[in-house]
Amino acid sequence: MTAVDTNIDMNRIPAHVAIIMDGNGRWAEKRKLPRVMGHNAGMKAMKEIVKRASVLGIKHLTVYAFSTENWKRTEEEVKGIFGLLVKYVDNELKELDENNVKVNILGDFSVIPGDALERVNTAIERTKDNDGLVFNIALNYGSRLEMIQAVREIGEKVKKGEIAPEDVDEDLISGCLMTGHLGIPDPDLLIRTSGEIRISNFLMWQIAYSEMIFTDVLWPDFTPEKFEEAIVEFQSRDRRFGGRNK
Ligand code: FPP
């Protein structure tokens, strides 16, 4: 493993980094390879970023692995992505656990293929007491779906008379989102690879004050060094949360 970038201020590491891992398909197309080979390379890149996030002392890393819209892709590609999830857990769970990483899933993962579901449940169970990096994998996740579920949950509370409509505030909504249920704070930094400048239904409530970094690098080429460059850039930003520093 390469040494940590000396430009990083280890006292100001972001607590939560969220990543939209985009560009696997284009990476494969450029090499005349099937798309799933791009996802395979993307899985390898993800593996390295998880390790580096853990070394850097980042508390939460959240990756967008499969959105509620990704079911529109061909059956072959969908199968390929979940096959890679199985491979990732089979190959990496032991090391993740040894490194004190806790695995969480964001999204309605009950509907994913059976072998992937089994691996995911095993990973959650095996790592549930770990207190190092919290690695959140968004699987069949969509921000709108998450908001719908939160509104329904709040509606139920109002209906039962547990709260009044005027009790609905930011904290209540945050707590009813999937991230709230899992105790995941809002991201400090959102990274999207592959040159696309959009959010694609990812953590839309939670990124209200996140710093954003968009890079042209395709996800499979996103190395731990590039990840650290993004953290250096994050540390150079002046976060004011709508207020003023001076
Ligand atoms: C976006 O690239 C990537 C995805 C939809 C899948 C992300 C999956 C992995 C990184 C590997 C699998 C890991 C797990 C944990 C399931 P794209 O296909 O949209 O790329 P393109 O925009 O170039 O077509």
Side-chain angles (χ1 to χ4, degrees), residues 202-226:
F202 191 46
L203 303 175
M204 292 192 295
W205 170 276
Q206 298 90 333
I207 59 169
Y209 287 102
S210 304
E211 292 298 326
M212 297 189 192
I213 292 181
F214 298 93
T215 166
D216 288 341
V217 175
L218 301 177
W219 176 252
D221 296 327
F222 195 74
T223 57
E225 291 69 35
K226 294 200 163 69

mmCIF file with all atom_site columns, all heavy atoms in Angstrom, residues 202-226:
data_model
loop_
_atom_site.group_PDB
_atom_site.id
_atom_site.type_symbol
_atom_site.label_atom_id
_atom_site.label_alt_id
_atom_site.label_comp_id
_atom_site.label_asym_id
_atom_site.label_entity_id
_atom_site.label_seq_id
_atom_site.pdbx_PDB_ins_code
_atom_site.Cartn_x
_atom_site.Cartn_y
_atom_site.Cartn_z
_atom_site.occupancy
_atom_site.B_iso_or_equiv
_atom_site.pdbx_formal_charge
_atom_site.auth_seq_id
_atom_site.auth_comp_id
_atom_site.auth_asym_id
_atom_site.auth_atom_id
_atom_site.pdbx_PDB_model_num
ATOM 1   N N   . PHE A 1 202 ? -29.389 10.167 -5.326  1.00 0.00 ? 202 PHE A N   1
ATOM 2   C CA  . PHE A 1 202 ? -28.520 9.642  -4.245  1.00 0.00 ? 202 PHE A CA  1
ATOM 3   C C   . PHE A 1 202 ? -28.516 10.608 -3.064  1.00 0.00 ? 202 PHE A C   1
ATOM 4   O O   . PHE A 1 202 ? -28.129 11.778 -3.214  1.00 0.00 ? 202 PHE A O   1
ATOM 5   C CB  . PHE A 1 202 ? -27.099 9.466  -4.794  1.00 0.00 ? 202 PHE A CB  1
ATOM 6   C CG  . PHE A 1 202 ? -26.162 8.703  -3.898  1.00 0.00 ? 202 PHE A CG  1
ATOM 7   C CD1 . PHE A 1 202 ? -26.549 7.505  -3.294  1.00 0.00 ? 202 PHE A CD1 1
ATOM 8   C CD2 . PHE A 1 202 ? -24.867 9.146  -3.676  1.00 0.00 ? 202 PHE A CD2 1
ATOM 9   C CE1 . PHE A 1 202 ? -25.667 6.788  -2.496  1.00 0.00 ? 202 PHE A CE1 1
ATOM 10  C CE2 . PHE A 1 202 ? -23.981 8.432  -2.877  1.00 0.00 ? 202 PHE A CE2 1
ATOM 11  C CZ  . PHE A 1 202 ? -24.388 7.253  -2.290  1.00 0.00 ? 202 PHE A CZ  1
ATOM 12  N N   . LEU A 1 203 ? -28.954 10.197 -1.920  1.00 0.00 ? 203 LEU A N   1
ATOM 13  C CA  . LEU A 1 203 ? -28.833 10.943 -0.652  1.00 0.00 ? 203 LEU A CA  1
ATOM 14  C C   . LEU A 1 203 ? -29.231 12.415 -0.791  1.00 0.00 ? 203 LEU A C   1
ATOM 15  O O   . LEU A 1 203 ? -28.533 13.299 -0.293  1.00 0.00 ? 203 LEU A O   1
ATOM 16  C CB  . LEU A 1 203 ? -27.380 10.839 -0.146  1.00 0.00 ? 203 LEU A CB  1
ATOM 17  C CG  . LEU A 1 203 ? -26.817 9.438  0.084   1.00 0.00 ? 203 LEU A CG  1
ATOM 18  C CD1 . LEU A 1 203 ? -25.329 9.518  0.457   1.00 0.00 ? 203 LEU A CD1 1
ATOM 19  C CD2 . LEU A 1 203 ? -27.575 8.702  1.196   1.00 0.00 ? 203 LEU A CD2 1
ATOM 20  N N   . MET A 1 204 ? -30.357 12.665 -1.458  1.00 0.00 ? 204 MET A N   1
ATOM 21  C CA  . MET A 1 204 ? -30.687 14.063 -1.802  1.00 0.00 ? 204 MET A CA  1
ATOM 22  C C   . MET A 1 204 ? -30.961 14.948 -0.586  1.00 0.00 ? 204 MET A C   1
ATOM 23  O O   . MET A 1 204 ? -30.622 16.126 -0.594  1.00 0.00 ? 204 MET A O   1
ATOM 24  C CB  . MET A 1 204 ? -31.870 14.094 -2.770  1.00 0.00 ? 204 MET A CB  1
ATOM 25  C CG  . MET A 1 204 ? -31.492 13.511 -4.124  1.00 0.00 ? 204 MET A CG  1
ATOM 26  S SD  . MET A 1 204 ? -32.695 13.822 -5.396  1.00 0.00 ? 204 MET A SD  1
ATOM 27  C CE  . MET A 1 204 ? -34.100 12.911 -4.803  1.00 0.00 ? 204 MET A CE  1
ATOM 28  N N   . TRP A 1 205 ? -31.559 14.385 0.438   1.00 0.00 ? 205 TRP A N   1
ATOM 29  C CA  . TRP A 1 205 ? -31.779 15.174 1.667   1.00 0.00 ? 205 TRP A CA  1
ATOM 30  C C   . TRP A 1 205 ? -30.449 15.390 2.395   1.00 0.00 ? 205 TRP A C   1
ATOM 31  O O   . TRP A 1 205 ? -30.132 16.483 2.855   1.00 0.00 ? 205 TRP A O   1
ATOM 32  C CB  . TRP A 1 205 ? -32.778 14.422 2.569   1.00 0.00 ? 205 TRP A CB  1
ATOM 33  C CG  . TRP A 1 205 ? -32.932 14.978 3.945   1.00 0.00 ? 205 TRP A CG  1
ATOM 34  C CD1 . TRP A 1 205 ? -32.136 14.718 5.030   1.00 0.00 ? 205 TRP A CD1 1
ATOM 35  C CD2 . TRP A 1 205 ? -33.921 15.907 4.401   1.00 0.00 ? 205 TRP A CD2 1
ATOM 36  N NE1 . TRP A 1 205 ? -32.573 15.415 6.124   1.00 0.00 ? 205 TRP A NE1 1
ATOM 37  C CE2 . TRP A 1 205 ? -33.672 16.159 5.765   1.00 0.00 ? 205 TRP A CE2 1
ATOM 38  C CE3 . TRP A 1 205 ? -35.002 16.562 3.794   1.00 0.00 ? 205 TRP A CE3 1
ATOM 39  C CZ2 . TRP A 1 205 ? -34.450 17.016 6.536   1.00 0.00 ? 205 TRP A CZ2 1
ATOM 40  C CZ3 . TRP A 1 205 ? -35.785 17.410 4.560   1.00 0.00 ? 205 TRP A CZ3 1
ATOM 41  C CH2 . TRP A 1 205 ? -35.502 17.634 5.909   1.00 0.00 ? 205 TRP A CH2 1
ATOM 42  N N   . GLN A 1 206 ? -29.673 14.321 2.455   1.00 0.00 ? 206 GLN A N   1
ATOM 43  C CA  . GLN A 1 206 ? -28.472 14.300 3.298   1.00 0.00 ? 206 GLN A CA  1
ATOM 44  C C   . GLN A 1 206 ? -27.327 15.166 2.769   1.00 0.00 ? 206 GLN A C   1
ATOM 45  O O   . GLN A 1 206 ? -26.431 15.533 3.521   1.00 0.00 ? 206 GLN A O   1
ATOM 46  C CB  . GLN A 1 206 ? -27.983 12.848 3.446   1.00 0.00 ? 206 GLN A CB  1
ATOM 47  C CG  . GLN A 1 206 ? -28.966 11.906 4.130   1.00 0.00 ? 206 GLN A CG  1
ATOM 48  C CD  . GLN A 1 206 ? -29.917 11.204 3.150   1.00 0.00 ? 206 GLN A CD  1
ATOM 49  O OE1 . GLN A 1 206 ? -30.225 11.705 2.088   1.00 0.00 ? 206 GLN A OE1 1
ATOM 50  N NE2 . GLN A 1 206 ? -30.388 10.032 3.529   1.00 0.00 ? 206 GLN A NE2 1
ATOM 51  N N   . ILE A 1 207 ? -27.317 15.443 1.462   1.00 0.00 ? 207 ILE A N   1
ATOM 52  C CA  . ILE A 1 207 ? -26.172 16.190 0.906   1.00 0.00 ? 207 ILE A CA  1
ATOM 53  C C   . ILE A 1 207 ? -26.406 17.704 0.869   1.00 0.00 ? 207 ILE A C   1
ATOM 54  O O   . ILE A 1 207 ? -25.658 18.441 0.211   1.00 0.00 ? 207 ILE A O   1
ATOM 55  C CB  . ILE A 1 207 ? -25.772 15.710 -0.513  1.00 0.00 ? 207 ILE A CB  1
ATOM 56  C CG1 . ILE A 1 207 ? -26.950 15.853 -1.483  1.00 0.00 ? 207 ILE A CG1 1
ATOM 57  C CG2 . ILE A 1 207 ? -25.219 14.296 -0.474  1.00 0.00 ? 207 ILE A CG2 1
ATOM 58  C CD1 . ILE A 1 207 ? -26.547 15.654 -2.932  1.00 0.00 ? 207 ILE A CD1 1
ATOM 59  N N   . ALA A 1 208 ? -27.425 18.174 1.605   1.00 0.00 ? 208 ALA A N   1
ATOM 60  C CA  . ALA A 1 208 ? -27.765 19.609 1.580   1.00 0.00 ? 208 ALA A CA  1
ATOM 61  C C   . ALA A 1 208 ? -26.532 20.503 1.757   1.00 0.00 ? 208 ALA A C   1
ATOM 62  O O   . ALA A 1 208 ? -26.416 21.537 1.107   1.00 0.00 ? 208 ALA A O   1
ATOM 63  C CB  . ALA A 1 208 ? -28.819 19.908 2.633   1.00 0.00 ? 208 ALA A CB  1
ATOM 64  N N   . TYR A 1 209 ? -25.618 20.123 2.639   1.00 0.00 ? 209 TYR A N   1
ATOM 65  C CA  . TYR A 1 209 ? -24.435 20.950 2.897   1.00 0.00 ? 209 TYR A CA  1
ATOM 66  C C   . TYR A 1 209 ? -23.118 20.220 2.595   1.00 0.00 ? 209 TYR A C   1
ATOM 67  O O   . TYR A 1 209 ? -22.060 20.641 3.062   1.00 0.00 ? 209 TYR A O   1
ATOM 68  C CB  . TYR A 1 209 ? -24.450 21.467 4.344   1.00 0.00 ? 209 TYR A CB  1
ATOM 69  C CG  . TYR A 1 209 ? -25.483 22.541 4.532   1.00 0.00 ? 209 TYR A CG  1
ATOM 70  C CD1 . TYR A 1 209 ? -26.698 22.271 5.148   1.00 0.00 ? 209 TYR A CD1 1
ATOM 71  C CD2 . TYR A 1 209 ? -25.258 23.826 4.027   1.00 0.00 ? 209 TYR A CD2 1
ATOM 72  C CE1 . TYR A 1 209 ? -27.670 23.252 5.276   1.00 0.00 ? 209 TYR A CE1 1
ATOM 73  C CE2 . TYR A 1 209 ? -26.221 24.816 4.151   1.00 0.00 ? 209 TYR A CE2 1
ATOM 74  C CZ  . TYR A 1 209 ? -27.424 24.528 4.778   1.00 0.00 ? 209 TYR A CZ  1
ATOM 75  O OH  . TYR A 1 209 ? -28.373 25.499 4.894   1.00 0.00 ? 209 TYR A OH  1
ATOM 76  N N   . SER A 1 210 ? -23.186 19.145 1.831   1.00 0.00 ? 210 SER A N   1
ATOM 77  C CA  . SER A 1 210 ? -21.955 18.404 1.521   1.00 0.00 ? 210 SER A CA  1
ATOM 78  C C   . SER A 1 210 ? -21.124 19.173 0.504   1.00 0.00 ? 210 SER A C   1
ATOM 79  O O   . SER A 1 210 ? -21.667 19.818 -0.398  1.00 0.00 ? 210 SER A O   1
ATOM 80  C CB  . SER A 1 210 ? -22.289 17.037 0.915   1.00 0.00 ? 210 SER A CB  1
ATOM 81  O OG  . SER A 1 210 ? -23.129 16.312 1.779   1.00 0.00 ? 210 SER A OG  1
ATOM 82  N N   . GLU A 1 211 ? -19.816 19.057 0.625   1.00 0.00 ? 211 GLU A N   1
ATOM 83  C CA  . GLU A 1 211 ? -18.939 19.519 -0.452  1.00 0.00 ? 211 GLU A CA  1
ATOM 84  C C   . GLU A 1 211 ? -19.018 18.478 -1.563  1.00 0.00 ? 211 GLU A C   1
ATOM 85  O O   . GLU A 1 211 ? -19.152 17.276 -1.291  1.00 0.00 ? 211 GLU A O   1
ATOM 86  C CB  . GLU A 1 211 ? -17.498 19.635 0.045   1.00 0.00 ? 211 GLU A CB  1
ATOM 87  C CG  . GLU A 1 211 ? -17.294 20.724 1.058   1.00 0.00 ? 211 GLU A CG  1
ATOM 88  C CD  . GLU A 1 211 ? -17.592 22.118 0.513   1.00 0.00 ? 211 GLU A CD  1
ATOM 89  O OE1 . GLU A 1 211 ? -17.333 22.363 -0.682  1.00 0.00 ? 211 GLU A OE1 1
ATOM 90  O OE2 . GLU A 1 211 ? -18.101 22.943 1.284   1.00 0.00 ? 211 GLU A OE2 1
ATOM 91  N N   . MET A 1 212 ? -18.925 18.930 -2.819  1.00 0.00 ? 212 MET A N   1
ATOM 92  C CA  . MET A 1 212 ? -19.030 17.980 -3.930  1.00 0.00 ? 212 MET A CA  1
ATOM 93  C C   . MET A 1 212 ? -17.787 18.050 -4.798  1.00 0.00 ? 212 MET A C   1
ATOM 94  O O   . MET A 1 212 ? -17.310 19.154 -5.095  1.00 0.00 ? 212 MET A O   1
ATOM 95  C CB  . MET A 1 212 ? -20.249 18.309 -4.783  1.00 0.00 ? 212 MET A CB  1
ATOM 96  C CG  . MET A 1 212 ? -21.523 18.170 -3.996  1.00 0.00 ? 212 MET A CG  1
ATOM 97  S SD  . MET A 1 212 ? -22.940 18.296 -5.064  1.00 0.00 ? 212 MET A SD  1
ATOM 98  C CE  . MET A 1 212 ? -24.202 18.446 -3.804  1.00 0.00 ? 212 MET A CE  1
ATOM 99  N N   . ILE A 1 213 ? -17.317 16.902 -5.188  1.00 0.00 ? 213 ILE A N   1
ATOM 100 C CA  . ILE A 1 213 ? -16.176 16.850 -6.106  1.00 0.00 ? 213 ILE A CA  1
ATOM 101 C C   . ILE A 1 213 ? -16.553 15.943 -7.275  1.00 0.00 ? 213 ILE A C   1
ATOM 102 O O   . ILE A 1 213 ? -16.955 14.790 -7.079  1.00 0.00 ? 213 ILE A O   1
ATOM 103 C CB  . ILE A 1 213 ? -14.904 16.353 -5.382  1.00 0.00 ? 213 ILE A CB  1
ATOM 104 C CG1 . ILE A 1 213 ? -14.461 17.413 -4.360  1.00 0.00 ? 213 ILE A CG1 1
ATOM 105 C CG2 . ILE A 1 213 ? -13.792 16.049 -6.403  1.00 0.00 ? 213 ILE A CG2 1
ATOM 106 C CD1 . ILE A 1 213 ? -13.217 17.075 -3.583  1.00 0.00 ? 213 ILE A CD1 1
ATOM 107 N N   . PHE A 1 214 ? -16.485 16.511 -8.478  1.00 0.00 ? 214 PHE A N   1
ATOM 108 C CA  . PHE A 1 214 ? -16.764 15.755 -9.684  1.00 0.00 ? 214 PHE A CA  1
ATOM 109 C C   . PHE A 1 214 ? -15.447 15.609 -10.431 1.00 0.00 ? 214 PHE A C   1
ATOM 110 O O   . PHE A 1 214 ? -14.754 16.600 -10.664 1.00 0.00 ? 214 PHE A O   1
ATOM 111 C CB  . PHE A 1 214 ? -17.792 16.491 -10.551 1.00 0.00 ? 214 PHE A CB  1
ATOM 112 C CG  . PHE A 1 214 ? -19.129 16.656 -9.866  1.00 0.00 ? 214 PHE A CG  1
ATOM 113 C CD1 . PHE A 1 214 ? -19.423 17.794 -9.132  1.00 0.00 ? 214 PHE A CD1 1
ATOM 114 C CD2 . PHE A 1 214 ? -20.083 15.653 -9.937  1.00 0.00 ? 214 PHE A CD2 1
ATOM 115 C CE1 . PHE A 1 214 ? -20.654 17.944 -8.494  1.00 0.00 ? 214 PHE A CE1 1
ATOM 116 C CE2 . PHE A 1 214 ? -21.318 15.788 -9.298  1.00 0.00 ? 214 PHE A CE2 1
ATOM 117 C CZ  . PHE A 1 214 ? -21.601 16.937 -8.570  1.00 0.00 ? 214 PHE A CZ  1
ATOM 118 N N   . THR A 1 215 ? -15.099 14.389 -10.753 1.00 0.00 ? 215 THR A N   1
ATOM 119 C CA  . THR A 1 215 ? -13.842 14.162 -11.470 1.00 0.00 ? 215 THR A CA  1
ATOM 120 C C   . THR A 1 215 ? -14.121 13.395 -12.762 1.00 0.00 ? 215 THR A C   1
ATOM 121 O O   . THR A 1 215 ? -15.051 12.582 -12.819 1.00 0.00 ? 215 THR A O   1
ATOM 122 C CB  . THR A 1 215 ? -12.840 13.376 -10.588 1.00 0.00 ? 215 THR A CB  1
ATOM 123 O OG1 . THR A 1 215 ? -11.769 12.899 -11.416 1.00 0.00 ? 215 THR A OG1 1
ATOM 124 C CG2 . THR A 1 215 ? -13.465 12.184 -9.893  1.00 0.00 ? 215 THR A CG2 1
ATOM 125 N N   . ASP A 1 216 ? -13.300 13.667 -13.777 1.00 0.00 ? 216 ASP A N   1
ATOM 126 C CA  . ASP A 1 216 ? -13.466 12.982 -15.063 1.00 0.00 ? 216 ASP A CA  1
ATOM 127 C C   . ASP A 1 216 ? -12.967 11.538 -15.039 1.00 0.00 ? 216 ASP A C   1
ATOM 128 O O   . ASP A 1 216 ? -13.246 10.759 -15.946 1.00 0.00 ? 216 ASP A O   1
ATOM 129 C CB  . ASP A 1 216 ? -12.702 13.731 -16.162 1.00 0.00 ? 216 ASP A CB  1
ATOM 130 C CG  . ASP A 1 216 ? -13.386 15.037 -16.532 1.00 0.00 ? 216 ASP A CG  1
ATOM 131 O OD1 . ASP A 1 216 ? -14.592 15.175 -16.226 1.00 0.00 ? 216 ASP A OD1 1
ATOM 132 O OD2 . ASP A 1 216 ? -12.715 15.920 -17.096 1.00 0.00 ? 216 ASP A OD2 1
ATOM 133 N N   . VAL A 1 217 ? -12.229 11.183 -14.010 1.00 0.00 ? 217 VAL A N   1
ATOM 134 C CA  . VAL A 1 217 ? -11.672 9.824  -13.921 1.00 0.00 ? 217 VAL A CA  1
ATOM 135 C C   . VAL A 1 217 ? -12.811 8.798  -13.892 1.00 0.00 ? 217 VAL A C   1
ATOM 136 O O   . VAL A 1 217 ? -13.789 8.996  -13.181 1.00 0.00 ? 217 VAL A O   1
ATOM 137 C CB  . VAL A 1 217 ? -10.824 9.694  -12.627 1.00 0.00 ? 217 VAL A CB  1
ATOM 138 C CG1 . VAL A 1 217 ? -10.325 8.272  -12.432 1.00 0.00 ? 217 VAL A CG1 1
ATOM 139 C CG2 . VAL A 1 217 ? -9.673  10.687 -12.645 1.00 0.00 ? 217 VAL A CG2 1
ATOM 140 N N   . LEU A 1 218 ? -12.687 7.742  -14.684 1.00 0.00 ? 218 LEU A N   1
ATOM 141 C CA  . LEU A 1 218 ? -13.706 6.680  -14.663 1.00 0.00 ? 218 LEU A CA  1
ATOM 142 C C   . LEU A 1 218 ? -13.504 5.851  -13.393 1.00 0.00 ? 218 LEU A C   1
ATOM 143 O O   . LEU A 1 218 ? -12.361 5.676  -12.946 1.00 0.00 ? 218 LEU A O   1
ATOM 144 C CB  . LEU A 1 218 ? -13.578 5.801  -15.918 1.00 0.00 ? 218 LEU A CB  1
ATOM 145 C CG  . LEU A 1 218 ? -13.727 6.540  -17.258 1.00 0.00 ? 218 LEU A CG  1
ATOM 146 C CD1 . LEU A 1 218 ? -13.495 5.572  -18.428 1.00 0.00 ? 218 LEU A CD1 1
ATOM 147 C CD2 . LEU A 1 218 ? -15.106 7.193  -17.389 1.00 0.00 ? 218 LEU A CD2 1
ATOM 148 N N   . TRP A 1 219 ? -14.584 5.337  -12.817 1.00 0.00 ? 219 TRP A N   1
ATOM 149 C CA  . TRP A 1 219 ? -14.468 4.701  -11.504 1.00 0.00 ? 219 TRP A CA  1
ATOM 150 C C   . TRP A 1 219 ? -13.355 3.635  -11.416 1.00 0.00 ? 219 TRP A C   1
ATOM 151 O O   . TRP A 1 219 ? -12.573 3.629  -10.461 1.00 0.00 ? 219 TRP A O   1
ATOM 152 C CB  . TRP A 1 219 ? -15.820 4.144  -11.026 1.00 0.00 ? 219 TRP A CB  1
ATOM 153 C CG  . TRP A 1 219 ? -15.655 3.415  -9.740  1.00 0.00 ? 219 TRP A CG  1
ATOM 154 C CD1 . TRP A 1 219 ? -15.720 2.072  -9.542  1.00 0.00 ? 219 TRP A CD1 1
ATOM 155 C CD2 . TRP A 1 219 ? -15.293 3.992  -8.459  1.00 0.00 ? 219 TRP A CD2 1
ATOM 156 N NE1 . TRP A 1 219 ? -15.443 1.774  -8.230  1.00 0.00 ? 219 TRP A NE1 1
ATOM 157 C CE2 . TRP A 1 219 ? -15.176 2.928  -7.554  1.00 0.00 ? 219 TRP A CE2 1
ATOM 158 C CE3 . TRP A 1 219 ? -15.047 5.293  -8.020  1.00 0.00 ? 219 TRP A CE3 1
ATOM 159 C CZ2 . TRP A 1 219 ? -14.830 3.116  -6.213  1.00 0.00 ? 219 TRP A CZ2 1
ATOM 160 C CZ3 . TRP A 1 219 ? -14.698 5.497  -6.684  1.00 0.00 ? 219 TRP A CZ3 1
ATOM 161 C CH2 . TRP A 1 219 ? -14.595 4.414  -5.797  1.00 0.00 ? 219 TRP A CH2 1
ATOM 162 N N   . PRO A 1 220 ? -13.233 2.730  -12.407 1.00 0.00 ? 220 PRO A N   1
ATOM 163 C CA  . PRO A 1 220 ? -12.174 1.710  -12.259 1.00 0.00 ? 220 PRO A CA  1
ATOM 164 C C   . PRO A 1 220 ? -10.770 2.301  -12.158 1.00 0.00 ? 220 PRO A C   1
ATOM 165 O O   . PRO A 1 220 ? -9.844  1.654  -11.656 1.00 0.00 ? 220 PRO A O   1
ATOM 166 C CB  . PRO A 1 220 ? -12.320 0.853  -13.528 1.00 0.00 ? 220 PRO A CB  1
ATOM 167 C CG  . PRO A 1 220 ? -13.732 1.046  -13.938 1.00 0.00 ? 220 PRO A CG  1
ATOM 168 C CD  . PRO A 1 220 ? -14.054 2.480  -13.607 1.00 0.00 ? 220 PRO A CD  1
ATOM 169 N N   . ASP A 1 221 ? -10.594 3.529  -12.632 1.00 0.00 ? 221 ASP A N   1
ATOM 170 C CA  . ASP A 1 221 ? -9.274  4.191  -12.570 1.00 0.00 ? 221 ASP A CA  1
ATOM 171 C C   . ASP A 1 221 ? -9.121  5.062  -11.331 1.00 0.00 ? 221 ASP A C   1
ATOM 172 O O   . ASP A 1 221 ? -8.127  5.767  -11.179 1.00 0.00 ? 221 ASP A O   1
ATOM 173 C CB  . ASP A 1 221 ? -9.069  5.073  -13.816 1.00 0.00 ? 221 ASP A CB  1
ATOM 174 C CG  . ASP A 1 221 ? -9.022  4.263  -15.093 1.00 0.00 ? 221 ASP A CG  1
ATOM 175 O OD1 . ASP A 1 221 ? -8.525  3.119  -15.050 1.00 0.00 ? 221 ASP A OD1 1
ATOM 176 O OD2 . ASP A 1 221 ? -9.498  4.767  -16.127 1.00 0.00 ? 221 ASP A OD2 1
ATOM 177 N N   . PHE A 1 222 ? -10.115 5.052  -10.451 1.00 0.00 ? 222 PHE A N   1
ATOM 178 C CA  . PHE A 1 222 ? -10.079 5.908  -9.262  1.00 0.00 ? 222 PHE A CA  1
ATOM 179 C C   . PHE A 1 222 ? -9.258  5.189  -8.177  1.00 0.00 ? 222 PHE A C   1
ATOM 180 O O   . PHE A 1 222 ? -9.730  4.291  -7.506  1.00 0.00 ? 222 PHE A O   1
ATOM 181 C CB  . PHE A 1 222 ? -11.508 6.207  -8.783  1.00 0.00 ? 222 PHE A CB  1
ATOM 182 C CG  . PHE A 1 222 ? -11.590 7.343  -7.802  1.00 0.00 ? 222 PHE A CG  1
ATOM 183 C CD1 . PHE A 1 222 ? -11.433 8.660  -8.221  1.00 0.00 ? 222 PHE A CD1 1
ATOM 184 C CD2 . PHE A 1 222 ? -11.819 7.108  -6.459  1.00 0.00 ? 222 PHE A CD2 1
ATOM 185 C CE1 . PHE A 1 222 ? -11.518 9.716  -7.325  1.00 0.00 ? 222 PHE A CE1 1
ATOM 186 C CE2 . PHE A 1 222 ? -11.900 8.156  -5.544  1.00 0.00 ? 222 PHE A CE2 1
ATOM 187 C CZ  . PHE A 1 222 ? -11.751 9.463  -5.973  1.00 0.00 ? 222 PHE A CZ  1
ATOM 188 N N   . THR A 1 223 ? -8.030  5.590  -8.045  1.00 0.00 ? 223 THR A N   1
ATOM 189 C CA  . THR A 1 223 ? -7.087  4.926  -7.136  1.00 0.00 ? 223 THR A CA  1
ATOM 190 C C   . THR A 1 223 ? -7.143  5.560  -5.744  1.00 0.00 ? 223 THR A C   1
ATOM 191 O O   . THR A 1 223 ? -7.651  6.676  -5.578  1.00 0.00 ? 223 THR A O   1
ATOM 192 C CB  . THR A 1 223 ? -5.655  5.111  -7.668  1.00 0.00 ? 223 THR A CB  1
ATOM 193 O OG1 . THR A 1 223 ? -5.434  6.532  -7.794  1.00 0.00 ? 223 THR A OG1 1
ATOM 194 C CG2 . THR A 1 223 ? -5.454  4.431  -9.007  1.00 0.00 ? 223 THR A CG2 1
ATOM 195 N N   . PRO A 1 224 ? -6.557  4.909  -4.738  1.00 0.00 ? 224 PRO A N   1
ATOM 196 C CA  . PRO A 1 224 ? -6.454  5.538  -3.421  1.00 0.00 ? 224 PRO A CA  1
ATOM 197 C C   . PRO A 1 224 ? -5.747  6.890  -3.475  1.00 0.00 ? 224 PRO A C   1
ATOM 198 O O   . PRO A 1 224 ? -6.086  7.793  -2.722  1.00 0.00 ? 224 PRO A O   1
ATOM 199 C CB  . PRO A 1 224 ? -5.647  4.509  -2.608  1.00 0.00 ? 224 PRO A CB  1
ATOM 200 C CG  . PRO A 1 224 ? -5.984  3.202  -3.252  1.00 0.00 ? 224 PRO A CG  1
ATOM 201 C CD  . PRO A 1 224 ? -6.103  3.508  -4.717  1.00 0.00 ? 224 PRO A CD  1
ATOM 202 N N   . GLU A 1 225 ? -4.802  7.064  -4.399  1.00 0.00 ? 225 GLU A N   1
ATOM 203 C CA  . GLU A 1 225 ? -4.106  8.354  -4.524  1.00 0.00 ? 225 GLU A CA  1
ATOM 204 C C   . GLU A 1 225 ? -5.090  9.435  -4.985  1.00 0.00 ? 225 GLU A C   1
ATOM 205 O O   . GLU A 1 225 ? -5.079  10.559 -4.477  1.00 0.00 ? 225 GLU A O   1
ATOM 206 C CB  . GLU A 1 225 ? -2.939  8.258  -5.523  1.00 0.00 ? 225 GLU A CB  1
ATOM 207 C CG  . GLU A 1 225 ? -1.766  7.402  -5.059  1.00 0.00 ? 225 GLU A CG  1
ATOM 208 C CD  . GLU A 1 225 ? -2.075  5.908  -4.996  1.00 0.00 ? 225 GLU A CD  1
ATOM 209 O OE1 . GLU A 1 225 ? -2.857  5.400  -5.848  1.00 0.00 ? 225 GLU A OE1 1
ATOM 210 O OE2 . GLU A 1 225 ? -1.558  5.226  -4.081  1.00 0.00 ? 225 GLU A OE2 1
ATOM 211 N N   . LYS A 1 226 ? -5.949  9.082  -5.933  1.00 0.00 ? 226 LYS A N   1
ATOM 212 C CA  . LYS A 1 226 ? -6.943  10.059 -6.414  1.00 0.00 ? 226 LYS A CA  1
ATOM 213 C C   . LYS A 1 226 ? -7.955  10.355 -5.311  1.00 0.00 ? 226 LYS A C   1
ATOM 214 O O   . LYS A 1 226 ? -8.437  11.484 -5.176  1.00 0.00 ? 226 LYS A O   1
ATOM 215 C CB  . LYS A 1 226 ? -7.618  9.541  -7.677  1.00 0.00 ? 226 LYS A CB  1
ATOM 216 C CG  . LYS A 1 226 ? -6.623  9.435  -8.832  1.00 0.00 ? 226 LYS A CG  1
ATOM 217 C CD  . LYS A 1 226 ? -7.289  9.412  -10.180 1.00 0.00 ? 226 LYS A CD  1
ATOM 218 C CE  . LYS A 1 226 ? -6.306  9.723  -11.285 1.00 0.00 ? 226 LYS A CE  1
ATOM 219 N NZ  . LYS A 1 226 ? -5.296  8.678  -11.506 1.00 0.00 ? 226 LYS A NZ  1
#
